[in-house]
Amino acid sequence: MKLPSFSAITAGVVNIARRFPLPILSALIGVVALWLVIDIQSNHAYTDAKRDMADQWVRVFMVCLLGLSALSGAVLFSESRNWPARFHWGLQGVIVLALCGYGWVLNPGDPLFEDIQLPRYMALLAVAHLWVAVAPYLNNFSVADFWEYNKRLFVNLVIGGFYTLVLFIGISAAILAADNLFDIQFRDTIYPKLFICLAGIFNTVYFLNQVPRRFEFEEGSFTLAFKILCKYIFIPIVILYFLILYAYAGKILISWNLPKGWVSSLVIGFSAAGILTYLLNYRLPAFDDSAIVRLYHRWFWPAVMPLTILLFVGVGRRLADYGVTEPRFLIAHTGIWLSLSCIYFFLTKGNNIKFIPISLMFFILSYAFGPFNAFAVSKDNQTRHLRDLFESSGHFEAGKLKSLEAKVDSATYSMMESKLQYLEYRNALDGVQAWLPLPIDSIQVDKNKYPGKTERILNFLKIESQKPERRAGNQYVNIVPPNNGLSVSGYDQFHEIALYAPEQYDTGVDSSALFTINRQKTHLMRYKLENGRRLLIDSIDVQPYLSKIHQKENADEVVDSSAATFVANQADGRILLFTKNLTYQLHKDTFQLNEWHGWMFIDFK
């Protein structure tokens, strides 16, 4: 393998500029947009106005990245049908208009961007890539031609990525050498810009230049390297994955316990690896009659079917316990697609692999945009679950929420809070608002709490969590700082301190430390340095303070600001301890301090 020559690259650029002008233009604009984002974000004066400007260029980049694949697929589709120029450019014009319209509604600065807009964009991007794979073959071209075409795309994608990486490493090393030898002082942004340029322009040019111009091929063949990769690496790894999952399924049957929820993700991941291997090996049995190749081709889909049952049992457990969310919806949705694929290939004997990308495109679109898309279904399901929780606690009656002083167990309270936050973060509390007699934003909230919609709703309902049972072992406590700050007038000295129990050190306590926790973990120790020696000043008993912390509600999670301070009167003055967080445990009626982070103020006599 050798890198392409400069003349080959130049000829390739000219050829694809004629064949793929709009995709190349899209790639160029995307690269420039991403460069501008880097320049804006690397500016030390990163104001709100510049953040908005960066968001606009991110929007341009995202649309261009989507357009690169969508427009490339349009070119291939029209070429495969020998369309005249007016239809050829007309299809691309329609896609350009659709991209402009989508860019108008796409908003990276929107609070809902990561939760809703970005997943939908990723779905469109996946569909656009699948469109490139199937566009020339939405006709009567043979499945063998379809496989050969996509094999060439895959190989050239890998080779192009390798070339891009080699060029990036080589040019980066040259820049680094010039920077150090001649003190040129390149900006750090030169490296990400270089990578973006190579990936967005060089790699795009190389890949598009390798796209076949004809979509019917002579009898294909397997190179020795490709055969070894498929037969001796991919197939054995997939078989190993499946054996692990089947062993886990056997364990479930023997122990008769429901599987862990994340097993569904493993099934999807292993199935994806298996499907890729199946596609790469689709034509291998015609060139290699070994048993492992034939058995894999024949029994792959029947082997996947029992694993889809394991997938549904795993995700079903999570859905029953916590309701539908977008990730769980995606897992269940993928499970349905896997099941239909298994049925299709079992009934048709696996003769048409076009089914995989085409059906996957429709399933991805239905996940993100269909009438029963993930976001709408998740919102409705979480709202229903929330209503059931309020009904069980006595706060929902005749279609309305009512204020009622009551305590619920910590698990129920946590579930109510998490579902409200889920809906709040997606701006989907309209259903809950319909149950309330007043606007959510008008509900008052305790001054020590964050004034979010979730806190306001819970405050209106007067729901409180019962004190949870103490866990064995360490209790971590995070102190909520006071809203009005802390008065420290009259103190002479200030120290910011992070202390750890002595047993956590490998070689004992630092002999130069002025503050430590004693080995019994019951006192804070104060020292001073005198003539190079460390002398003990006094110790501060933390038992009363930890006892106060222990009595607070939810002491194993968050404590309000009233517990942030502790005053100790010592021989040389008054000491104020202000805690950020700490870790302690109760051992035989004695509180032991393991970690303490905060500030110490000293008022000397």
Side-chain angles (χ1 to χ4, degrees):
M1 183 185 297
K2 61 181 181 179
L3 290 173
S5 65
F6 180 78
S7 59
I9 294 175
T10 303
V13 171
V14 173
N15 288 333
I16 69 162
R18 292 173 178 169
R19 187 184 180 194
F20 297 100
L22 292 183
I24 292 297
L25 180 62
S26 183
L28 289 172
I29 296 174
V31 167
V32 172
L34 211 50
W35 275 20
L36 291 172
V37 171
I38 292 174
D39 285 337
I40 294 170
Q41 292 184 342
S42 63
N43 193 314
H44 295 296
Y46 193 49
T47 61
D48 289 341
K50 290 186 176 180
R51 183 179 294 107
D52 292 339
M53 187 183 299
D55 288 341
Q56 298 307 316
W57 285 114
V58 169
R59 179 201 310 228
V60 172
F61 165 74
M62 294 175 68
V63 171
C64 288
L65 182 61
L66 184 62
L68 174 60
S69 298
L71 291 167
S72 297
V75 172
L76 296 170
F77 179 77
S78 64
E79 286 183 347
S80 69
R81 294 179 175 270
N82 295 316
W83 277 1
R86 64 181 183 276
F87 292 146
H88 176 83
W89 290 106
L91 177 60
Q92 294 183 69
V94 170
I95 292 177
V96 169
L97 291 176
L99 289 168
C100 292
Y102 180 63
W104 183 262
V105 300
L106 190 64
N107 183 11
D110 192 299
L112 303 178
F113 176 74
E114 291 187 4
D115 293 319
I116 297 180
Q117 291 199 38
L118 184 59
R120 281 179 165 160
Y121 172 80
M122 297 304 295
L124 286 175
L125 193 62
V127 170
H129 281 75
L130 291 171
W131 165 239
V132 174
V134 303
Y137 293 90
L138 298 175
N139 48 34
N140 294 324
F141 285 149
S142 72
V143 176
D145 290 333
F146 170 75
W147 178 85
E148 180 65 27
Y149 164 80
N150 279 280
K151 185 198 80 169
R152 295 188 183 190
L153 291 188
F154 176 78
V155 170
N156 288 317
L157 184 67
V158 173
I159 294 174
F162 176 74
Y163 287 163
T164 300
L165 183 61
V166 169
L167 283 171
F168 175 71
I169 294 174
I171 298 174
S172 295
I175 293 172
L176 183 63
D179 193 8
N180 283 276
L181 293 176
F182 302 103
D183 196 23
I184 299 176
Q185 296 183 351
F186 291 109
R187 294 183 63 186
D188 291 339
T189 56
I190 193 172
Y191 298 104
K193 283 184 174 182
L194 172 63
F195 181 80
I196 291 167
C197 182
L198 291 173
I201 298 177
F202 168 79
N203 190 57
T204 300
V205 168
Y206 176 82
F207 178 79
L208 292 179
N209 188 51
Q210 303 300 316
V211 173
R213 291 180 175 271
R214 296 176 56 256
F215 306 109
E216 293 181 282
F217 305 94
E218 297 178 359
E219 183 69 22
S221 63
F222 271 82
T223 64
L224 180 61
F226 200 75
K227 183 185 295 187
I228 291 174
L229 182 69
C230 295
K231 181 178 178 180
Y232 296 107
I233 297 178
F234 285 167
I235 292 179
I237 289 176
V238 172
I239 292 174
L240 176 62
Y241 287 163
F242 276 39
L243 288 176
I244 293 172
L245 286 175
Y246 270 96
Y248 181 67
K251 175 187 172 185
I252 292 171
L253 292 174
I254 294 173
S255 61
W256 205 244
N257 290 323
L258 287 174
K260 297 180 180 179
W262 55 267
V263 72
S264 302
S265 300
L266 289 181
V267 171
I268 290 176
F270 291 168
S271 297
I275 291 171
L276 176 62
T277 301
Y278 178 84
L279 292 173
L280 291 175
N281 286 275
Y282 176 72
R283 295 280 295 158
L284 186 57
F287 304 94
D288 189 320
D289 61 351
S290 59
I292 189 172
V293 172
R294 287 186 289 102
L295 290 174
Y296 185 89
H297 183 80
R298 180 178 179 182
W299 292 104
F300 171 74
W301 291 105
V304 172
M305 179 58 80
L307 296 181
T308 62
I309 299 174
L310 183 63
L311 181 153
F312 284 121
V313 174
V315 74
R317 176 181 179 181
R318 305 293 290 181
L319 292 173
D321 291 343
Y322 306 109
V324 180
T325 59
E326 293 88 355
R328 294 174 200 140
F329 184 97
L330 178 61
I331 291 173
H333 200 61
T334 306
I336 294 173
W337 177 78
L338 277 175
S339 300
L340 292 177
S341 298
C342 290
I343 294 171
Y344 172 82
F345 282 100
F346 180 77
L347 295 177
T348 63
K349 307 302 181 183
N351 291 325
N352 192 350
I353 56 174
K354 292 182 186 180
F355 175 85
I356 293 176
I358 294 174
S359 63
L360 192 56
M361 288 170 66
F362 284 104
F363 265 81
I364 292 173
L365 288 174
S366 65
Y367 160 80
F369 299 100
F372 302 102
N373 65 76
F375 311 99
V377 171
S378 299
K379 171 190 170 182
D380 293 342
N381 184 266
Q382 291 295 321
T383 303
R384 286 197 300 270
H385 271 241
L386 192 59
R387 182 192 60 198
D388 294 341
L389 289 172
F390 288 147
E391 284 180 343
S392 66
S393 67
H395 290 84
F396 192 89
E397 189 176 274
K400 293 293 181 180
L401 289 172
K402 64 178 183 179
S403 181
L404 175 67
E405 290 191 8
K407 285 190 175 183
V408 298
D409 62 85
S410 59
T412 300
Y413 183 89
S414 177
M415 193 170 293
M416 288 178 177
E417 186 178 42
S418 66
K419 291 182 183 301
L420 283 170
Q421 289 175 343
Y422 172 89
L423 295 172
E424 179 183 358
Y425 295 157
R426 287 157 178 78
N427 196 24
L429 283 169
D430 48 316
V432 179
Q433 177 64 79
W435 303 336
L436 289 166
L438 71 169
I440 295 174
D441 290 333
S442 66
I443 301 173
Q444 299 299 312
V445 66
D446 293 343
K447 64 179 182 179
N448 288 327
K449 293 183 178 179
Y450 173 73
K453 293 181 183 293
T454 296
E455 288 73 17
R456 293 180 188 276
I457 294 170
L458 292 174
N459 197 55
F460 168 81
L461 297 174
K462 299 182 179 178
I463 297 178
E464 295 183 9
S465 175
Q466 294 176 351
K467 190 173 182 178
E469 294 183 3
R470 293 286 174 179
R471 301 172 308 199
N474 284 347
Q475 308 293 320
Y476 174 79
V477 177
N478 187 44
I479 307 293
V480 177
N483 290 334
N484 299 324
L486 177 69
S487 176
V488 293
S489 62
Y491 289 92
D492 305 308
Q493 201 173 82
F494 154 76
H495 301 272
E496 183 174 6
I497 304 173
L499 300 178
Y500 302 89
E503 65 187 25
Q504 298 187 25
Y505 293 94
D506 294 333
T507 57
V509 178
D510 182 4
S511 61
S512 65
L514 298 180
F515 306 96
T516 65
I517 300 174
N518 69 339
R519 293 195 177 277
Q520 290 73 34
K521 307 180 185 179
T522 58
H523 289 71
L524 295 180
M525 314 299 289
R526 291 174 58 220
Y527 297 89
K528 65 179 180 179
L529 294 177
E530 190 173 291
N531 297 326
R533 298 175 58 195
R534 190 178 71 163
L535 303 177
L536 178 66
I537 300 175
D538 59 18
S539 62
I540 302 171
D541 185 4
V542 295
Q543 294 294 301
Y545 180 55
L546 293 179
S547 178
K548 181 173 72 169
I549 292 285
H550 195 70
Q551 297 304 316
K552 290 286 182 180
E553 291 287 337
N554 297 325
D556 59 335
E557 296 176 0
V558 176
V559 175
D560 61 48
S561 59
S562 64
T565 59
F566 172 63
V567 178
N569 292 310
Q570 302 297 108
D572 62 341
R574 183 167 54 110
I575 295 178
L576 170 65
L577 298 175
F578 183 85
T579 304
K580 284 178 59 181
N581 54 70
L582 58 85
T583 303
Y584 75 97
Q585 64 183 7
L586 182 61
H587 180 68
K588 296 181 180 179
D589 297 325
T590 300
F591 293 105
Q592 295 183 334
L593 182 64
N594 293 317
E595 296 181 23
W596 186 81
H597 298 254
W599 297 270
M600 178 183 291
F601 300 88
I602 305 175
D603 175 20
F604 294 109
K605 289 183 178 179

